Coordinates of all heavy atoms in Angstrom, one line a residue:
M1 N 18.6 48.9 114.4 CA 18.1 48.0 113.3 C 18.6 48.5 112.0 O 18.9 49.6 111.8 CB 16.5 48.1 113.3 CG 15.8 47.4 114.4 SD 16.0 45.6 114.3 CE 14.7 45.3 113.1
D2 N 18.8 47.5 111.1 CA 19.3 47.8 109.8 C 18.3 47.7 108.7 O 18.5 47.5 107.6 CB 20.5 46.9 109.5 CG 20.2 45.4 109.6 OD1 19.0 45.1 110.0 OD2 21.1 44.6 109.4
M3 N 17.0 47.8 109.1 CA 15.9 47.8 108.1 C 16.0 49.1 107.3 O 16.3 50.2 107.9 CB 14.6 47.8 108.8 CG 14.2 46.4 109.4 SD 13.8 45.2 108.2 CE 12.2 45.7 107.7
P4 N 15.7 49.0 106.0 CA 15.7 50.3 105.3 C 14.6 51.1 105.6 O 13.6 50.6 106.2 CB 15.6 49.7 103.8 CG 15.0 48.4 103.9 CD 15.4 47.8 105.3
K5 N 14.7 52.4 105.4 CA 13.6 53.4 105.7 C 12.3 53.1 104.9 O 11.2 53.2 105.4 CB 14.1 54.8 105.5 CG 15.1 55.2 106.6 CD 15.2 56.7 106.7 CE 16.1 57.1 107.8 NZ 17.6 57.0 107.4
V6 N 12.5 52.8 103.6 CA 11.4 52.5 102.8 C 11.3 51.0 102.5 O 12.2 50.4 102.0 CB 11.6 53.3 101.4 CG1 10.3 53.0 100.5 CG2 11.7 54.8 101.6
I7 N 10.2 50.4 103.0 CA 10.0 49.0 102.8 C 9.3 48.8 101.4 O 8.3 49.4 101.2 CB 9.1 48.4 103.9 CG1 9.9 48.5 105.3 CG2 8.7 47.0 103.7 CD1 9.1 48.1 106.5
P8 N 9.9 48.0 100.6 CA 9.3 47.8 99.3 C 7.9 47.2 99.4 O 7.5 46.5 100.4 CB 10.2 46.8 98.6 CG 11.4 46.7 99.4 CD 11.1 47.2 100.8
V9 N 7.1 47.3 98.4 CA 5.7 46.8 98.4 C 5.7 45.7 97.3 O 6.2 45.9 96.2 CB 4.7 47.9 98.0 CG1 3.3 47.3 97.8 CG2 4.6 48.9 99.2
C10 N 5.1 44.5 97.6 CA 5.1 43.4 96.7 C 3.9 43.6 95.7 O 3.2 44.6 95.8 CB 5.0 42.1 97.4 SG 3.4 41.7 98.0
Y11 N 3.8 42.6 94.8 CA 2.7 42.7 93.7 C 1.3 42.7 94.3 O 0.4 43.2 93.6 CB 2.9 41.6 92.7 CG 4.3 41.6 92.1 CD1 5.0 40.4 91.9 CD2 4.9 42.8 91.7 CE1 6.3 40.4 91.3 CE2 6.2 42.8 91.2 CZ 6.9 41.5 91.0 OH 8.1 41.5 90.4
C12 N 1.1 42.2 95.5 CA -0.2 42.3 96.1 C -0.5 43.6 96.7 O -1.6 43.9 97.1 CB -0.3 41.3 97.2 SG 0.5 39.7 97.0
G13 N 0.5 44.5 96.8 CA 0.3 45.8 97.4 C 0.5 45.8 98.9 O 0.2 46.8 99.5
N14 N 1.1 44.7 99.4 CA 1.4 44.7 100.8 C 2.9 45.0 101.0 O 3.7 44.7 100.2 CB 1.2 43.3 101.4 CG -0.3 42.9 101.3 OD1 -1.2 43.6 101.7 ND2 -0.6 41.7 100.8
P15 N 3.2 45.6 102.2 CA 4.6 45.8 102.5 C 5.3 44.4 102.6 O 4.7 43.5 103.1 CB 4.7 46.4 103.9 CG 3.3 46.9 104.1 CD 2.4 46.0 103.3
V16 N 6.5 44.2 102.0 CA 7.1 42.9 102.0 C 7.7 42.5 103.3 O 7.9 43.4 104.2 CB 8.2 42.8 100.9 CG1 7.6 43.0 99.5 CG2 9.3 43.9 101.1
K17 N 8.0 41.3 103.4 CA 8.6 40.7 104.7 C 10.0 40.4 104.4 O 10.4 39.9 103.3 CB 7.8 39.5 105.0 CG 7.9 39.1 106.5 CD 7.0 37.9 106.7 CE 7.6 37.2 107.9 NZ 7.7 35.7 107.8
L18 N 10.9 40.6 105.4 CA 12.3 40.2 105.3 C 12.4 38.8 105.8 O 12.1 38.4 106.9 CB 13.1 41.2 106.2 CG 14.6 41.2 106.0 CD1 15.0 41.6 104.5 CD2 15.3 42.1 106.9
N19 N 12.9 37.9 104.9 CA 13.1 36.5 105.2 C 14.6 36.2 105.1 O 15.3 36.9 104.5 CB 12.3 35.6 104.2 CG 10.9 35.8 104.2 OD1 10.2 35.5 105.2 ND2 10.3 36.5 103.2
T20 N 14.9 35.1 105.6 CA 16.3 34.6 105.5 C 16.4 33.3 104.7 O 15.6 32.4 105.0 CB 16.9 34.4 106.9 OG1 16.8 35.6 107.7 CG2 18.4 34.0 106.8
S21 N 17.2 33.3 103.7 CA 17.4 32.1 102.9 C 18.3 31.1 103.6 O 19.3 31.5 104.2 CB 18.0 32.6 101.6 OG 18.6 31.4 100.9
W22 N 18.0 29.9 103.5 CA 19.0 28.8 104.0 C 19.3 27.9 102.9 O 19.6 26.7 103.2 CB 18.3 28.1 105.2 CG 18.3 29.0 106.4 CD1 17.1 29.6 106.9 CD2 19.3 29.6 107.1 NE1 17.4 30.4 107.9 CE2 18.8 30.5 108.1 CE3 20.7 29.5 107.0 CZ2 19.6 31.2 109.0 CZ3 21.5 30.3 107.9 CH2 20.9 31.1 108.9
S23 N 19.3 28.3 101.7 CA 19.7 27.4 100.6 C 21.2 27.3 100.6 O 21.9 28.1 101.1 CB 19.2 28.0 99.3 OG 19.9 29.2 99.0
N24 N 21.6 26.3 99.9 CA 23.1 26.0 99.8 C 23.8 27.1 99.1 O 25.0 27.4 99.4 CB 23.4 24.7 99.1 CG 23.2 23.5 100.0 OD1 23.0 23.7 101.2 ND2 23.1 22.3 99.4
N25 N 23.2 27.8 98.2 CA 23.8 28.9 97.5 C 23.9 30.2 98.3 O 24.8 31.0 98.1 CB 23.1 29.1 96.1 CG 23.5 28.0 95.1 OD1 24.5 27.4 95.2 ND2 22.5 27.7 94.3
N26 N 22.9 30.4 99.1 CA 22.8 31.6 99.8 C 22.5 31.5 101.3 O 21.5 32.0 101.8 CB 21.8 32.5 99.2 CG 22.1 32.9 97.8 OD1 23.0 33.7 97.6 ND2 21.5 32.3 96.8
P27 N 23.3 30.7 102.1 CA 23.0 30.5 103.5 C 23.0 31.8 104.3 O 24.0 32.5 104.2 CB 24.0 29.5 103.9 CG 25.2 29.7 103.0 CD 24.6 30.1 101.7
G28 N 21.9 32.1 105.0 CA 21.9 33.3 105.8 C 21.7 34.6 105.1 O 21.6 35.6 105.8
R29 N 21.5 34.5 103.8 CA 21.3 35.8 103.0 C 19.9 36.2 103.1 O 19.0 35.4 102.9 CB 21.7 35.6 101.6 CG 21.8 36.9 100.8 CD 22.3 36.6 99.4 NE 22.3 37.8 98.6 CZ 22.4 37.8 97.3 NH1 22.5 36.7 96.6 NH2 22.3 38.9 96.6
R30 N 19.6 37.4 103.4 CA 18.2 37.9 103.6 C 17.6 38.4 102.3 O 18.4 39.0 101.5 CB 18.2 39.0 104.7 CG 18.4 38.4 106.1 CD 18.6 39.5 107.1 NE 19.8 40.3 106.8 CZ 20.1 41.4 107.5 NH1 19.3 41.8 108.4 NH2 21.2 42.0 107.2
F31 N 16.4 38.2 102.2 CA 15.7 38.7 101.0 C 14.3 39.2 101.3 O 13.7 38.8 102.4 CB 15.6 37.6 99.9 CG 14.8 36.4 100.4 CD1 13.4 36.3 100.1 CD2 15.3 35.4 101.1 CE1 12.6 35.2 100.5 CE2 14.6 34.3 101.5 CZ 13.3 34.2 101.2
F32 N 13.7 40.1 100.5 CA 12.4 40.5 100.7 C 11.5 39.6 99.9 O 11.7 39.2 98.7 CB 12.2 41.9 100.1 CG 12.8 43.0 101.0 CD1 13.8 43.8 100.6 CD2 12.3 43.1 102.3 CE1 14.3 44.8 101.5 CE2 12.8 44.1 103.2 CZ 13.8 44.9 102.7
G33 N 10.4 39.2 100.5 CA 9.4 38.4 99.8 C 8.0 38.8 100.2 O 7.8 39.5 101.1
C34 N 7.0 38.2 99.5 CA 5.6 38.5 99.8 C 5.4 38.0 101.3 O 5.9 37.0 101.7 CB 4.7 37.7 98.9 SG 3.0 38.0 99.1
K35 N 4.6 38.7 102.0 CA 4.3 38.3 103.4 C 3.4 37.1 103.5 O 3.3 36.5 104.5 CB 3.8 39.5 104.2 CG 2.4 39.9 104.0 CD 2.0 41.0 105.0 CE 0.6 41.4 104.8 NZ 0.3 42.6 105.7
K36 N 2.8 36.7 102.4 CA 2.1 35.4 102.4 C 3.0 34.3 102.1 O 2.6 33.1 102.0 CB 1.1 35.5 101.2 CG 0.0 36.5 101.4 CD -0.9 36.5 100.2 CE -1.9 37.7 100.3 NZ -2.5 37.9 98.9
F37 N 4.3 34.6 102.0 CA 5.3 33.6 101.7 C 5.3 32.3 102.6 O 5.3 31.2 102.1 CB 6.7 34.3 101.9 CG 7.8 33.5 101.1 CD1 7.9 33.7 99.8 CD2 8.7 32.8 101.8 CE1 9.0 33.0 99.1 CE2 9.8 32.1 101.1 CZ 9.9 32.3 99.8
D38 N 5.1 32.6 103.9 CA 5.1 31.4 104.8 C 3.7 31.1 105.2 O 3.5 30.5 106.3 CB 6.0 31.7 106.0 CG 5.8 33.0 106.6 OD1 4.8 33.7 106.3 OD2 6.6 33.5 107.4
N39 N 2.7 31.5 104.4 CA 1.3 31.1 104.7 C 0.9 30.0 103.7 O 0.8 30.3 102.5 CB 0.4 32.3 104.6 CG -1.0 32.1 105.0 OD1 -1.5 31.0 104.8 ND2 -1.6 33.1 105.5
A40 N 0.7 28.8 104.2 CA 0.4 27.7 103.3 C -0.9 27.8 102.6 O -1.2 27.2 101.6 CB 0.5 26.4 104.1
F41 N -1.8 28.7 103.1 CA -3.2 28.7 102.6 C -3.3 29.8 101.5 O -4.3 29.7 100.7 CB -4.2 29.0 103.7 CG -4.2 28.0 104.8 CD1 -3.5 28.2 106.0 CD2 -4.8 26.7 104.6 CE1 -3.4 27.2 107.0 CE2 -4.7 25.8 105.6 CZ -4.1 26.0 106.7
Q42 N -2.4 30.7 101.5 CA -2.5 31.7 100.5 C -1.3 31.7 99.6 O -0.2 31.5 100.0 CB -2.6 33.1 101.1 CG -3.9 33.5 101.6 CD -3.9 34.8 102.3 OE1 -3.2 34.9 103.4 NE2 -4.6 35.8 101.8
K43 N -1.5 31.7 98.3 CA -0.4 31.7 97.4 C 0.3 33.0 97.3 O -0.4 34.0 97.1 CB -1.0 31.3 96.0 CG -0.1 30.3 95.3 CD -0.6 30.0 93.9 CE 0.5 29.5 93.1 NZ 0.5 28.4 92.4
P44 N 1.6 33.0 97.6 CA 2.3 34.3 97.5 C 2.5 34.8 96.1 O 2.5 33.9 95.2 CB 3.6 34.0 98.2 CG 3.8 32.6 98.0 CD 2.5 31.9 97.9
C45 N 2.7 36.0 95.9 CA 3.0 36.5 94.5 C 4.5 36.2 94.3 O 5.2 35.8 95.2 CB 2.6 38.0 94.4 SG 3.5 39.1 95.5
Q46 N 5.0 36.6 93.2 CA 6.3 36.2 92.8 C 7.4 37.3 93.2 O 8.5 37.2 92.7 CB 6.4 35.9 91.3 CG 5.6 34.7 90.9 CD 6.0 33.4 91.6 OE1 7.2 33.1 91.6 NE2 5.1 32.8 92.3
F47 N 7.0 38.2 94.0 CA 7.9 39.3 94.4 C 9.1 38.7 95.1 O 9.0 37.9 96.0 CB 7.2 40.3 95.3 CG 8.1 41.5 95.6 CD1 8.1 42.6 94.7 CD2 9.0 41.5 96.7 CE1 9.0 43.7 95.0 CE2 9.8 42.5 96.9 CZ 9.8 43.6 96.1
F48 N 10.3 39.1 94.7 CA 11.5 38.6 95.3 C 12.6 39.6 95.1 O 12.8 40.1 93.9 CB 11.9 37.3 94.6 CG 13.1 36.6 95.3 CD1 12.9 35.8 96.3 CD2 14.4 36.9 94.9 CE1 14.0 35.2 97.0 CE2 15.5 36.4 95.5 CZ 15.3 35.5 96.5
S49 N 13.3 40.0 96.1 CA 14.4 41.0 96.0 C 15.4 40.8 97.1 O 15.0 40.7 98.3 CB 13.7 42.4 96.1 OG 14.8 43.4 96.2
W50 N 16.6 40.6 96.8 CA 17.7 40.4 97.8 C 17.9 41.6 98.6 O 17.8 42.7 98.1 CB 19.0 40.0 97.2 CG 19.0 38.6 96.6 CD1 19.1 38.3 95.3 CD2 19.0 37.4 97.4 NE1 19.2 36.9 95.2 CE2 19.1 36.4 96.4 CE3 18.9 37.1 98.7 CZ2 19.0 35.0 96.8 CZ3 18.9 35.8 99.1 CH2 18.9 34.7 98.2
F51 N 18.1 41.4 99.9 CA 18.3 42.5 100.8 C 19.9 42.6 101.1 O 20.4 43.7 101.1 CB 17.6 42.3 102.2 CG 17.9 43.3 103.2 CD1 17.5 44.6 103.1 CD2 18.6 43.0 104.4 CE1 17.7 45.6 104.1 CE2 18.9 43.9 105.3 CZ 18.5 45.2 105.2
D52 N 20.5 41.5 101.3 CA 21.9 41.5 101.6 C 22.7 41.3 100.3 O 22.1 40.7 99.3 CB 22.3 40.3 102.5 CG 21.8 40.4 103.9 OD1 21.9 41.6 104.4 OD2 21.4 39.5 104.5
P53 N 23.9 41.8 100.2 CA 24.7 41.7 99.0 C 25.1 40.2 98.8 O 25.0 39.4 99.8 CB 25.9 42.5 99.3 CG 26.0 42.7 100.8 CD 24.6 42.6 101.2
P54 N 25.4 39.8 97.6 CA 25.8 38.3 97.4 C 26.9 37.9 98.4 O 27.8 38.7 98.7 CB 26.3 38.3 96.0 CG 25.8 39.6 95.4 CD 25.6 40.6 96.4
L55 N 26.9 36.6 98.7 CA 27.9 36.1 99.6 C 29.2 35.9 98.8 O 29.1 35.4 97.6 CB 27.5 34.7 100.2 CG 26.7 34.8 101.5 CD1 25.3 35.2 101.3 CD2 26.7 33.4 102.2
T56 N 30.3 36.1 99.4 CA 31.5 35.7 98.7 C 31.7 34.2 98.8 O 31.2 33.6 99.8 CB 32.8 36.4 99.4 OG1 32.8 35.9 100.7 CG2 32.6 37.9 99.4
P57 N 32.4 33.6 97.8 CA 32.5 32.1 97.9 C 33.1 31.7 99.2 O 32.7 30.7 99.8 CB 33.5 31.9 96.7 CG 33.3 33.0 95.8 CD 33.0 34.2 96.7
R58 N 34.1 32.5 99.7 CA 34.7 32.1 101.0 C 33.7 32.1 102.2 O 33.7 31.2 103.0 CB 35.8 33.2 101.3 CG 36.5 33.1 102.6 CD 37.3 31.9 102.8 NE 37.7 31.7 104.2 CZ 37.8 30.5 104.8 NH1 37.6 29.4 104.1 NH2 38.2 30.4 106.0
L59 N 32.9 33.2 102.3 CA 31.9 33.3 103.3 C 30.9 32.1 103.2 O 30.5 31.6 104.2 CB 31.2 34.6 103.2 CG 30.3 35.0 104.4 CD1 31.0 34.9 105.7 CD2 29.7 36.4 104.2
R60 N 30.5 31.8 102.0 CA 29.6 30.7 101.8 C 30.1 29.4 102.3 O 29.4 28.7 103.0 CB 29.3 30.6 100.3 CG 28.0 29.9 99.9 CD 27.7 30.0 98.5 NE 28.6 29.3 97.6 CZ 28.4 28.1 97.2 NH1 27.3 27.5 97.4 NH2 29.3 27.5 96.4
V61 N 31.4 29.1 102.1 CA 32.0 27.9 102.5 C 32.0 27.9 104.1 O 31.7 26.9 104.7 CB 33.4 27.7 102.0 CG1 34.2 26.6 102.7 CG2 33.4 27.5 100.5
V62 N 32.4 29.0 104.7 CA 32.5 29.1 106.1 C 31.1 28.9 106.7 O 30.9 28.1 107.7 CB 33.0 30.5 106.6 CG1 32.9 30.7 108.1 CG2 34.5 30.6 106.2
L63 N 30.1 29.6 106.2 CA 28.7 29.4 106.7 C 28.2 28.0 106.6 O 27.6 27.5 107.5 CB 27.8 30.4 106.0 CG 27.8 31.8 106.6 CD1 27.0 32.8 105.6 CD2 27.2 31.9 108.0
L64 N 28.4 27.4 105.4 CA 27.9 26.0 105.2 C 28.6 25.1 106.2 O 28.0 24.2 106.7 CB 28.1 25.6 103.8 CG 27.1 26.2 102.8 CD1 27.5 25.9 101.4 CD2 25.7 25.8 103.1
G65 N 29.9 25.3 106.5 CA 30.6 24.5 107.4 C 30.0 24.6 108.8 O 29.8 23.6 109.5
L66 N 29.7 25.8 109.2 CA 29.1 26.1 110.5 C 27.7 25.4 110.6 O 27.4 24.8 111.6 CB 29.0 27.6 110.8 CG 30.3 28.3 111.2 CD1 30.0 29.8 111.2 CD2 30.8 27.9 112.5
L67 N 26.9 25.6 109.6 CA 25.6 25.0 109.6 C 25.7 23.5 109.7 O 24.9 22.8 110.5 CB 24.8 25.3 108.3 CG 24.4 26.8 108.2 CD1 23.8 27.0 106.8 CD2 23.3 27.0 109.2
K68 N 26.6 22.9 109.0 CA 26.8 21.4 109.1 C 27.2 21.0 110.5 O 26.7 20.0 111.1 CB 28.0 21.0 108.2 CG 27.6 19.9 107.2 CD 28.8 19.7 106.3 CE 28.8 18.4 105.6 NZ 29.9 18.3 104.7
K69 N 28.0 21.8 111.2 CA 28.5 21.5 112.5 C 27.3 21.6 113.5 O 27.1 20.7 114.3 CB 29.5 22.6 112.9 CG 30.6 22.0 113.9 CD 31.7 23.1 114.1 CE 33.0 22.4 113.9 NZ 34.1 23.4 114.0
V70 N 26.5 22.7 113.4 CA 25.3 22.8 114.2 C 24.4 21.6 114.0 O 23.9 21.1 115.0 CB 24.6 24.2 113.9 CG1 23.2 24.2 114.6 CG2 25.4 25.3 114.3
K71 N 24.2 21.2 112.8 CA 23.3 20.1 112.5 C 23.8 18.8 113.2 O 23.0 18.1 113.8 CB 23.1 19.9 111.0 CG 21.7 19.3 110.7 CD 21.5 19.1 109.3 CE 20.3 18.3 109.1 NZ 20.2 17.0 109.9
S72 N 25.0 18.6 113.1 CA 25.6 17.3 113.6 C 25.5 17.4 115.2 O 25.2 16.4 115.8 CB 27.0 17.1 113.2 OG 27.9 18.1 113.7
L73 N 25.7 18.6 115.8 CA 25.5 18.7 117.2 C 24.1 18.4 117.6 O 23.8 17.8 118.6 CB 26.0 20.1 117.7 CG 27.5 20.3 117.8 CD1 27.8 21.8 118.0 CD2 28.1 19.5 118.9
E74 N 23.2 19.0 116.8 CA 21.8 18.8 117.2 C 21.4 17.3 117.1 O 20.6 16.8 117.9 CB 20.9 19.6 116.2 CG 20.8 21.1 116.7 CD 20.0 21.9 115.7 OE1 19.7 21.5 114.6 OE2 19.8 23.1 116.1
D75 N 21.9 16.7 116.0 CA 21.6 15.2 115.8 C 22.1 14.4 117.0 O 21.5 13.5 117.5 CB 22.2 14.7 114.5 CG 21.4 15.2 113.3 OD1 20.3 15.8 113.5 OD2 21.9 15.1 112.2
A76 N 23.4 14.8 117.4 CA 24.0 14.1 118.5 C 23.1 14.2 119.8 O 23.0 13.3 120.6 CB 25.4 14.6 118.8
R77 N 22.6 15.5 120.0 CA 21.8 15.7 121.2 C 20.5 14.9 121.2 O 20.0 14.4 122.2 CB 21.5 17.2 121.3 CG 22.3 17.9 122.5 CD 22.1 19.3 122.5 NE 20.8 19.7 123.0 CZ 20.3 20.9 123.1 NH1 21.1 21.9 122.6 NH2 19.1 21.2 123.5
K78 N 19.9 14.9 120.0 CA 18.7 14.1 119.8 C 18.9 12.6 120.2 O 18.1 12.0 120.8 CB 18.1 14.2 118.4 CG 17.2 15.4 118.2 CD 16.7 15.5 116.8 CE 16.4 17.0 116.4 NZ 16.5 17.2 115.0
K79 N 20.0 12.1 119.7 CA 20.4 10.7 119.9 C 20.5 10.5 121.4 O 20.1 9.5 122.0 CB 21.6 10.3 119.2 CG 21.3 9.6 117.9 CD 22.6 9.2 117.2 CE 22.4 9.4 115.7 NZ 23.7 9.6 115.0
E80 N 21.2 11.4 122.1 CA 21.4 11.3 123.5 C 20.1 11.2 124.3 O 19.9 10.5 125.2 CB 22.2 12.5 124.1 CG 23.7 12.3 124.1 CD 24.5 13.5 124.4 OE1 24.0 14.3 125.2 OE2 25.5 13.7 123.9
R81 N 19.2 12.1 123.9 CA 17.9 12.1 124.6 C 17.1 10.8 124.4 O 16.4 10.4 125.3 CB 17.0 13.3 124.0 CG 16.9 14.4 125.0 CD 16.0 15.5 124.5 NE 16.8 16.7 124.3 CZ 16.4 17.7 123.4 NH1 15.4 17.5 122.6 NH2 17.1 18.8 123.3
R82 N 17.2 10.2 123.2 CA 16.5 9.0 122.9 C 17.0 7.8 123.8 O 16.2 7.0 124.2 CB 16.7 8.6 121.5 CG 15.3 8.6 120.7 CD 15.5 8.3 119.3 NE 15.6 9.5 118.5 CZ 16.3 9.6 117.4 NH1 17.0 8.6 116.9 NH2 16.3 10.7 116.7
T83 N 18.2 7.8 124.1 CA 18.8 6.6 124.8 C 18.7 6.8 126.3 O 18.5 7.9 126.8 CB 20.2 6.4 124.5 OG1 20.9 7.6 124.5 CG2 20.3 5.8 123.1
Ligands
LIG101 ZN1 2.6 39.6 97.6

């Protein structure tokens, strides 16, 4: 595992959770966020810290191209199932 030995603590005082970003600017880049982040009932605090180094422009283009490909394959499969 590549988890750091010391897990940061967010503003709520909880150990943070490692999430993966899928935004266009940072596809696949991991970041630390509040563990309430994916809980719709509790508002997360604003803690945010990147875990992975920034993506190079080249890697970003490659990753976005792959994501697009995966999505089109999934769409094609969904269409096949419907018919
Ligand atoms: Zn928090």
Side-chain angles (χ1 to χ4, degrees):
M1 284 295 279
D2 52 2
M3 285 288 284
K5 286 198 178 79
V6 180
I7 295 173
V9 171
C10 77
Y11 303 139
C12 321
N14 297 312
V16 295
K17 200 177 157 229
L18 195 59
N19 296 290
T20 303
S21 161
W22 292 110
S23 69
N24 280 349
N25 285 329
N26 294 288
R29 190 177 174 197
R30 288 169 298 174
F31 63 93
F32 285 118
C34 185
K35 73 175 180 186
K36 293 174 189 165
F37 200 77
D38 46 16
N39 187 329
F41 300 101
Q42 280 175 298
K43 222 182 157 126
C45 63
Q46 296 301 306
F47 185 91
F48 185 90
S49 171
W50 286 113
F51 175 70
D52 288 323
L55 271 77
T56 62
R58 170 72 190 141
L59 187 57
R60 198 168 71 93
V61 167
V62 169
L63 276 169
L64 285 174
L66 283 172
L67 286 172
K68 231 175 162 179
K69 211 172 230 175
V70 169
K71 207 182 170 308
S72 66
L73 282 171
E74 278 175 352
D75 286 350
R77 251 175 75 185
K78 270 179 209 156
K79 260 178 218 156
E80 265 172 36
R81 250 183 245 154
R82 238 177 266 150
T83 48

